[in-house]
Amino acid sequence: RNEPIYEAEFVARSGSSAQKKPENDNSHLNQLILHSSLDLLDRKQWAGNASYLKVIDKFTDQMISAYITASGMKLLLLHEVKNDDGIGAFFKDVAELYAKHMLNPFYKFDTPIISREFDDRVRALASKIL
């Protein structure tokens, strides 16, 4: 499936926490950019055995980084600043949160994640690492 199960948008840090983007931004364009990079991700995932694939695509001044979990879940991040170490750490921590979320007996695999706690933890990771 190539449908997102979780989405979050962040603005650049101004203080200590990642904040939600305003509603009047280009979020639909961002979704299109990320979705179009899935074909490149499918090709690159078989080129090696690394989970973190780093930058897999670029669109104007934005880059798309990717991570594939052990269960095959694809994590994508659209960003403007290249920070391979920070983004790799962020992906690793989000993958761990996702694995813990999958252990919840009330979560049905491959369905949208609507947990407020999951969202809060991802945002906390973003503000700490990115």
Short mmCIF file of all heavy atoms in Angstrom, two decimals, residues 52-89:
data_model
loop_
_atom_site.label_atom_id
_atom_site.label_comp_id
_atom_site.label_asym_id
_atom_site.label_seq_id
_atom_site.Cartn_x
_atom_site.Cartn_y
_atom_site.Cartn_z
N TYR A 52 18.39 3.08 6.64
CA TYR A 52 18.38 4.52 6.36
C TYR A 52 19.01 4.76 4.99
O TYR A 52 20.19 4.50 4.79
CB TYR A 52 19.13 5.27 7.45
CG TYR A 52 19.24 6.76 7.24
CD1 TYR A 52 18.18 7.50 6.72
CD2 TYR A 52 20.40 7.44 7.57
CE1 TYR A 52 18.29 8.87 6.53
CE2 TYR A 52 20.51 8.81 7.40
CZ TYR A 52 19.44 9.51 6.88
OH TYR A 52 19.54 10.86 6.69
N LEU A 53 18.21 5.23 4.05
CA LEU A 53 18.68 5.41 2.68
C LEU A 53 19.16 6.83 2.38
O LEU A 53 19.51 7.12 1.25
CB LEU A 53 17.56 5.03 1.70
CG LEU A 53 17.04 3.60 1.85
CD1 LEU A 53 15.88 3.36 0.91
CD2 LEU A 53 18.14 2.59 1.62
N LYS A 54 19.13 7.69 3.38
CA LYS A 54 19.56 9.09 3.26
C LYS A 54 18.70 9.80 2.21
O LYS A 54 17.53 9.51 2.06
CB LYS A 54 21.04 9.18 2.98
CG LYS A 54 21.88 8.58 4.09
CD LYS A 54 23.34 8.81 3.90
CE LYS A 54 24.08 8.17 5.08
NZ LYS A 54 25.49 8.36 5.02
N VAL A 55 19.27 10.74 1.47
CA VAL A 55 18.50 11.52 0.49
C VAL A 55 18.28 10.67 -0.76
O VAL A 55 19.24 10.24 -1.39
CB VAL A 55 19.23 12.84 0.14
CG1 VAL A 55 18.50 13.57 -0.97
CG2 VAL A 55 19.36 13.72 1.36
N ILE A 56 17.02 10.43 -1.08
CA ILE A 56 16.70 9.62 -2.25
C ILE A 56 16.21 10.44 -3.43
O ILE A 56 16.21 9.96 -4.56
CB ILE A 56 15.65 8.53 -1.93
CG1 ILE A 56 14.35 9.16 -1.46
CG2 ILE A 56 16.19 7.54 -0.92
CD1 ILE A 56 13.17 8.22 -1.47
N ASP A 57 15.79 11.69 -3.18
CA ASP A 57 15.26 12.52 -4.24
C ASP A 57 15.35 13.99 -3.82
O ASP A 57 15.47 14.29 -2.63
CB ASP A 57 13.81 12.14 -4.53
CG ASP A 57 13.29 12.65 -5.87
OD1 ASP A 57 14.10 13.17 -6.67
OD2 ASP A 57 12.08 12.52 -6.13
N LYS A 58 15.27 14.88 -4.80
CA LYS A 58 15.27 16.32 -4.55
C LYS A 58 14.19 16.97 -5.38
O LYS A 58 13.91 16.54 -6.49
CB LYS A 58 16.64 16.93 -4.89
CG LYS A 58 17.75 16.47 -3.99
CD LYS A 58 19.05 17.13 -4.34
CE LYS A 58 20.14 16.61 -3.41
NZ LYS A 58 21.42 17.24 -3.67
N PHE A 59 13.61 18.01 -4.82
CA PHE A 59 12.62 18.82 -5.54
C PHE A 59 12.91 20.27 -5.20
O PHE A 59 12.77 20.67 -4.05
CB PHE A 59 11.20 18.44 -5.13
CG PHE A 59 10.14 19.24 -5.83
CD1 PHE A 59 9.77 18.93 -7.12
CD2 PHE A 59 9.53 20.31 -5.20
CE1 PHE A 59 8.79 19.67 -7.78
CE2 PHE A 59 8.57 21.05 -5.83
CZ PHE A 59 8.19 20.74 -7.13
N THR A 60 13.33 21.04 -6.16
CA THR A 60 13.81 22.41 -6.00
C THR A 60 14.80 22.48 -4.83
O THR A 60 15.83 21.86 -4.89
CB THR A 60 12.65 23.42 -5.84
OG1 THR A 60 11.87 23.11 -4.70
CG2 THR A 60 11.78 23.44 -7.08
N ASP A 61 14.47 23.19 -3.75
CA ASP A 61 15.41 23.30 -2.63
C ASP A 61 15.09 22.32 -1.51
O ASP A 61 15.66 22.40 -0.43
CB ASP A 61 15.41 24.73 -2.09
CG ASP A 61 14.06 25.16 -1.57
OD1 ASP A 61 13.04 24.53 -1.94
OD2 ASP A 61 13.99 26.12 -0.78
N GLN A 62 14.21 21.36 -1.76
CA GLN A 62 13.82 20.38 -0.75
C GLN A 62 14.39 19.00 -1.09
O GLN A 62 14.54 18.66 -2.25
CB GLN A 62 12.31 20.30 -0.65
CG GLN A 62 11.69 21.61 -0.21
CD GLN A 62 10.19 21.54 -0.19
OE1 GLN A 62 9.58 20.99 -1.10
NE2 GLN A 62 9.60 22.11 0.85
N MET A 63 14.69 18.24 -0.03
CA MET A 63 15.21 16.89 -0.19
C MET A 63 14.27 15.90 0.48
O MET A 63 13.60 16.24 1.45
CB MET A 63 16.59 16.79 0.46
CG MET A 63 17.63 17.68 -0.19
SD MET A 63 19.15 17.78 0.77
CE MET A 63 18.79 19.20 1.78
N ILE A 64 14.24 14.68 -0.05
CA ILE A 64 13.43 13.61 0.53
C ILE A 64 14.38 12.54 1.04
O ILE A 64 15.16 11.98 0.28
CB ILE A 64 12.45 13.00 -0.48
CG1 ILE A 64 11.45 14.05 -0.97
CG2 ILE A 64 11.69 11.84 0.15
CD1 ILE A 64 11.72 14.57 -2.32
N SER A 65 14.33 12.29 2.35
CA SER A 65 15.11 11.22 2.96
C SER A 65 14.17 10.08 3.29
O SER A 65 12.99 10.30 3.55
CB SER A 65 15.81 11.71 4.23
OG SER A 65 16.79 12.66 3.91
N ALA A 66 14.71 8.85 3.30
CA ALA A 66 13.87 7.68 3.51
C ALA A 66 14.50 6.69 4.48
O ALA A 66 15.72 6.62 4.61
CB ALA A 66 13.60 6.99 2.17
N TYR A 67 13.63 5.93 5.11
CA TYR A 67 14.03 4.88 6.05
C TYR A 67 13.02 3.76 5.90
O TYR A 67 11.82 4.00 5.76
CB TYR A 67 13.98 5.44 7.48
CG TYR A 67 14.49 4.51 8.55
CD1 TYR A 67 15.80 4.60 9.00
CD2 TYR A 67 13.66 3.57 9.14
CE1 TYR A 67 16.27 3.77 10.01
CE2 TYR A 67 14.13 2.74 10.15
CZ TYR A 67 15.43 2.84 10.58
OH TYR A 67 15.89 2.01 11.57
N ILE A 68 13.49 2.52 5.91
CA ILE A 68 12.60 1.37 5.80
C ILE A 68 12.76 0.53 7.06
O ILE A 68 13.86 0.12 7.40
CB ILE A 68 12.91 0.54 4.54
CG1 ILE A 68 12.76 1.41 3.30
CG2 ILE A 68 11.99 -0.67 4.47
CD1 ILE A 68 13.13 0.74 2.02
N THR A 69 11.64 0.29 7.74
CA THR A 69 11.69 -0.49 8.98
C THR A 69 11.84 -1.96 8.65
O THR A 69 11.70 -2.38 7.50
CB THR A 69 10.40 -0.29 9.80
OG1 THR A 69 9.30 -0.86 9.09
CG2 THR A 69 10.14 1.17 10.10
N ALA A 70 12.09 -2.76 9.68
CA ALA A 70 12.25 -4.21 9.50
C ALA A 70 10.95 -4.83 8.99
O ALA A 70 10.98 -5.84 8.29
CB ALA A 70 12.66 -4.86 10.82
N SER A 71 9.81 -4.22 9.30
CA SER A 71 8.52 -4.74 8.82
C SER A 71 8.18 -4.26 7.42
O SER A 71 7.15 -4.61 6.87
CB SER A 71 7.40 -4.35 9.79
OG SER A 71 7.23 -2.95 9.80
N GLY A 72 9.04 -3.40 6.84
CA GLY A 72 8.81 -2.91 5.48
C GLY A 72 8.08 -1.58 5.42
O GLY A 72 7.78 -1.10 4.33
N MET A 73 7.81 -0.98 6.56
CA MET A 73 7.15 0.32 6.57
C MET A 73 8.13 1.37 6.07
O MET A 73 9.30 1.38 6.45
CB MET A 73 6.68 0.66 7.98
CG MET A 73 5.93 1.96 8.08
SD MET A 73 4.42 2.04 7.11
CE MET A 73 3.48 0.69 7.78
N LYS A 74 7.67 2.24 5.19
CA LYS A 74 8.52 3.27 4.60
C LYS A 74 8.28 4.60 5.31
O LYS A 74 7.14 5.06 5.39
CB LYS A 74 8.21 3.41 3.11
CG LYS A 74 8.45 2.13 2.35
CD LYS A 74 7.85 2.19 0.96
CE LYS A 74 8.00 0.85 0.29
NZ LYS A 74 7.23 0.78 -0.95
N LEU A 75 9.34 5.19 5.82
CA LEU A 75 9.27 6.49 6.46
C LEU A 75 9.94 7.50 5.55
O LEU A 75 11.06 7.29 5.09
CB LEU A 75 9.98 6.46 7.82
CG LEU A 75 9.57 5.38 8.81
CD1 LEU A 75 10.43 5.46 10.06
CD2 LEU A 75 8.11 5.51 9.16
N LEU A 76 9.25 8.61 5.28
CA LEU A 76 9.78 9.66 4.41
C LEU A 76 9.79 10.98 5.14
O LEU A 76 8.89 11.27 5.94
CB LEU A 76 8.91 9.79 3.16
CG LEU A 76 8.83 8.57 2.24
CD1 LEU A 76 7.79 8.79 1.16
CD2 LEU A 76 10.17 8.29 1.62
N LEU A 77 10.79 11.80 4.84
CA LEU A 77 10.90 13.12 5.45
C LEU A 77 11.29 14.10 4.36
O LEU A 77 12.29 13.92 3.66
CB LEU A 77 11.96 13.12 6.56
CG LEU A 77 12.17 14.44 7.29
CD1 LEU A 77 10.94 14.80 8.11
CD2 LEU A 77 13.39 14.36 8.19
N LEU A 78 10.49 15.15 4.20
CA LEU A 78 10.76 16.23 3.26
C LEU A 78 11.41 17.35 4.06
O LEU A 78 10.83 17.85 5.03
CB LEU A 78 9.45 16.69 2.62
CG LEU A 78 9.54 17.79 1.57
CD1 LEU A 78 10.30 17.31 0.34
CD2 LEU A 78 8.13 18.23 1.18
N HIS A 79 12.61 17.75 3.68
CA HIS A 79 13.35 18.74 4.45
C HIS A 79 14.20 19.61 3.54
O HIS A 79 14.45 19.27 2.39
CB HIS A 79 14.24 18.06 5.50
CG HIS A 79 15.16 17.04 4.93
ND1 HIS A 79 16.46 17.31 4.63
CD2 HIS A 79 14.97 15.74 4.60
CE1 HIS A 79 17.04 16.23 4.14
NE2 HIS A 79 16.15 15.25 4.11
N GLU A 80 14.64 20.75 4.08
CA GLU A 80 15.45 21.69 3.31
C GLU A 80 16.92 21.68 3.72
O GLU A 80 17.77 22.05 2.93
CB GLU A 80 14.88 23.10 3.44
CG GLU A 80 13.51 23.24 2.81
CD GLU A 80 12.91 24.61 2.99
OE1 GLU A 80 13.49 25.43 3.72
OE2 GLU A 80 11.85 24.85 2.40
N VAL A 81 17.21 21.30 4.95
CA VAL A 81 18.58 21.31 5.46
C VAL A 81 19.11 19.89 5.51
O VAL A 81 18.45 19.00 6.02
CB VAL A 81 18.63 21.95 6.87
CG1 VAL A 81 20.04 21.92 7.41
CG2 VAL A 81 18.09 23.37 6.83
N LYS A 82 20.31 19.69 4.95
CA LYS A 82 20.90 18.36 4.98
C LYS A 82 21.56 18.11 6.33
O LYS A 82 22.45 18.85 6.73
CB LYS A 82 21.92 18.21 3.86
CG LYS A 82 22.42 16.79 3.71
CD LYS A 82 23.17 16.59 2.43
CE LYS A 82 23.57 15.14 2.33
NZ LYS A 82 24.05 14.78 1.03
N ASN A 83 21.08 17.09 7.02
CA ASN A 83 21.58 16.73 8.35
C ASN A 83 21.45 15.21 8.47
O ASN A 83 20.56 14.72 9.16
CB ASN A 83 20.77 17.46 9.43
CG ASN A 83 21.16 17.07 10.83
OD1 ASN A 83 22.14 16.35 11.04
ND2 ASN A 83 20.39 17.51 11.79
N ASP A 84 22.30 14.48 7.78
CA ASP A 84 22.18 13.02 7.71
C ASP A 84 22.17 12.35 9.07
O ASP A 84 21.37 11.46 9.32
CB ASP A 84 23.29 12.43 6.84
CG ASP A 84 23.08 12.69 5.36
OD1 ASP A 84 21.93 12.94 4.96
OD2 ASP A 84 24.07 12.64 4.62
N ASP A 85 23.03 12.77 9.96
CA ASP A 85 23.11 12.13 11.28
C ASP A 85 21.84 12.37 12.10
O ASP A 85 21.29 11.45 12.69
CB ASP A 85 24.33 12.62 12.05
CG ASP A 85 25.64 12.18 11.41
OD1 ASP A 85 25.64 11.17 10.68
OD2 ASP A 85 26.66 12.86 11.64
N GLY A 86 21.38 13.62 12.12
CA GLY A 86 20.17 13.96 12.87
C GLY A 86 18.93 13.28 12.30
O GLY A 86 18.10 12.76 13.03
N ILE A 87 18.82 13.29 10.98
CA ILE A 87 17.66 12.67 10.34
C ILE A 87 17.68 11.16 10.54
O ILE A 87 16.65 10.54 10.80
CB ILE A 87 17.60 13.06 8.84
CG1 ILE A 87 17.29 14.55 8.72
CG2 ILE A 87 16.57 12.23 8.09
CD1 ILE A 87 17.43 15.11 7.33
N GLY A 88 18.86 10.55 10.45
CA GLY A 88 18.98 9.11 10.70
C GLY A 88 18.57 8.75 12.11
O GLY A 88 17.86 7.77 12.34
N ALA A 89 18.98 9.57 13.10
CA ALA A 89 18.59 9.33 14.49
C ALA A 89 17.09 9.51 14.67
O ALA A 89 16.43 8.73 15.38
CB ALA A 89 19.35 10.28 15.42
#
